[in-house]
Amino acid sequence: MILSILYSAFLLAAIGVVAAIILYVVSKKFYVYENPLIAEVEDILPAANCAGCGSPGCKAFAEKLVSTDDISELFCPVGGNDVMKLVSEVLGKEVAEKDPTVAVLLCQGSCEVRPKTTEYQGPRTCAISAMVYGGETDCQYGCLGDGDCVKVCDFDAMYMNEETGLPVIITDKCTSCGACVTACPRDIIEMRPKNKRDLKIFVGCLNEDKAGIAKKSCSVACIGCSKCEDICPKDAVIMKDNLAYIDPIACTLCRKCVEVCPTDSIIETNFPKKKIKIPKDKPEVKEDVKSTKTKTDA
């Protein structure tokens, strides 16, 4: 009896020793060396794992930063220039400083200006809606209003406005990760430079239909009249497919295009109201303006 117990114990011990030896040999055989810089860089990154950098997560991006000689084209949109500067100091590699960007909705087709003509009964997701039908309005280019962009935002920087049926972007919370851009099947969300005081001018429409059709489906649609292109002093307005597009790099925010747009399809954000210039030789105009202002205030 005692011999049987000792034999069993010895056998188990022998199996354990053999297993340990095998595990040791396998671990040495298949050992993968990881550069300690990867962990150091990963600690610097914001751990958002948003894929805004083009990598599936912060660890993958850290590996890419360490293994790439020239990282001037690599950038973490969530961490921004401050994080990339720290990465540069750790790796001893130069990084390119980039202007911050923010998500912008290129559609202002609310329920008020873009009336519904049909009613969708299927699953309420933009991805499915875009595949099975053209939308609940006559505009085949605008927001579908099912909030896929809001669902993928990990930073609570977007919400759906129940009155307009459109997503609202909270600029101060937007990290420029680009998740909403990828999620939108209509491509109506764009990353644009975040200027000082978040001043922006852009065309809030992507309707490529001809003027009459576009205007019928949405009262604030771009009709391709080219007035904005004609008046722009910096050639920042590009006309293509019956649609105007404002180049954010070339645009100097002069607002001349906003003034001439007949359908109010050009959006300006965070600008102060323009002061009315009154000719010195026409005092009667000044009196009229003053009187109007008094009535309005009253």
Side-chain angles (χ1 to χ4, degrees):
M1 183 71 178
I2 297 176
L3 289 175
S4 298
I5 296 174
L6 291 174
Y7 176 76
S8 299
F10 176 77
L11 182 61
L12 288 173
I15 292 173
V17 171
V18 172
I21 293 172
I22 292 173
L23 289 173
Y24 176 78
V25 172
V26 170
S27 66
K28 290 296 182 181
K29 178 74 174 178
F30 297 100
Y31 173 75
V32 178
Y33 170 78
E34 182 176 282
N35 193 325
L37 284 174
I38 295 175
E40 193 172 348
V41 171
E42 186 182 4
D43 288 339
I44 296 173
L45 298 176
N49 295 313
C50 61
C53 58
S55 298
C58 289
K59 182 176 178 60
F61 186 52
E63 292 173 351
K64 194 172 185 179
L65 287 167
V66 173
S67 61
T68 305
D69 293 331
D70 183 6
I71 62 172
S72 59
E73 295 299 321
L74 302 179
F75 192 77
C76 172
V78 178
N81 292 318
D82 293 337
V83 165
M84 292 307 298
K85 185 178 180 181
L86 293 175
V87 171
S88 173
E89 292 173 356
V90 170
L91 299 179
K93 301 176 183 179
E94 291 187 6
V95 296
E97 188 170 331
K98 296 185 179 181
D99 294 330
T101 58
V102 66
V104 170
L105 182 71
L106 303 182
C107 176
Q108 53 179 336
S110 63
C111 304
E112 184 180 352
V113 299
R114 189 176 53 145
K116 289 186 177 182
T117 54
T118 60
E119 186 174 350
Y120 178 58
Q121 300 291 340
R124 303 305 305 192
T125 73
C126 299
I128 295 177
S129 299
M131 287 190 292
V132 299
Y133 86 130
E136 294 182 324
T137 71
D138 288 336
C139 177
Q140 306 296 307
Y141 302 89
C143 178
L144 290 163
D146 291 328
D148 285 18
C149 51
V150 175
K151 296 170 187 174
V152 299
C153 181
D154 292 330
F155 305 95
D156 296 326
M158 301 182 74
Y159 68 91
M160 293 300 297
N161 187 317
E162 294 182 0
E163 293 184 4
T164 64
L166 297 173
V168 177
I169 299 166
I170 306 173
T171 302
D172 293 338
K173 289 187 177 182
C174 179
T175 60
S176 190
C177 71
C180 56
V181 177
T182 304
C184 180
R186 287 281 175 88
D187 296 325
I188 62 170
I189 301 178
E190 180 185 43
M191 305 308 301
R192 294 179 74 89
K194 184 180 180 181
N195 301 304
K196 290 182 178 179
R197 302 192 305 280
D198 193 29
L199 302 178
K200 294 188 295 290
I201 294 178
F202 57 94
V203 179
C205 178
L206 289 179
N207 196 326
E208 297 178 2
D209 290 331
K210 291 184 178 180
I213 300 174
K215 193 73 168 61
K216 184 178 179 181
S217 61
C218 180
S219 62
V220 292
C222 175
I223 57 176
C225 66
S226 300
K227 289 184 177 181
C228 51
E229 181 186 31
D230 296 338
I231 202 171
C232 180
K234 299 296 181 179
D235 296 326
V237 181
I238 303 166
M239 297 299 304
K240 184 180 179 182
D241 298 326
N242 305 309
L243 184 67
Y245 176 79
I246 298 176
D247 183 351
I249 306 301
C251 178
T252 58
L253 305 175
C254 70
R255 304 165 71 186
K256 291 181 178 180
C257 57
V258 180
E259 298 168 0
V260 299
C261 180
T263 61
D264 296 323
S265 64
I266 300 179
I267 302 172
E268 55 177 349
T269 63
N270 299 319
F271 284 89
K273 290 184 178 180
K274 278 194 171 183
K275 295 181 180 180
I276 302 175
K277 294 182 178 179
I278 303 171
K280 293 181 179 180
D281 57 340
K282 294 184 178 181
E284 67 277 2
V285 176
K286 186 174 182 180
E287 289 296 325
D288 290 342
V289 174
K290 185 177 180 180
S291 175
T292 304
K293 184 178 179 182
T294 304
K295 290 178 181 179
T296 304
D297 292 342

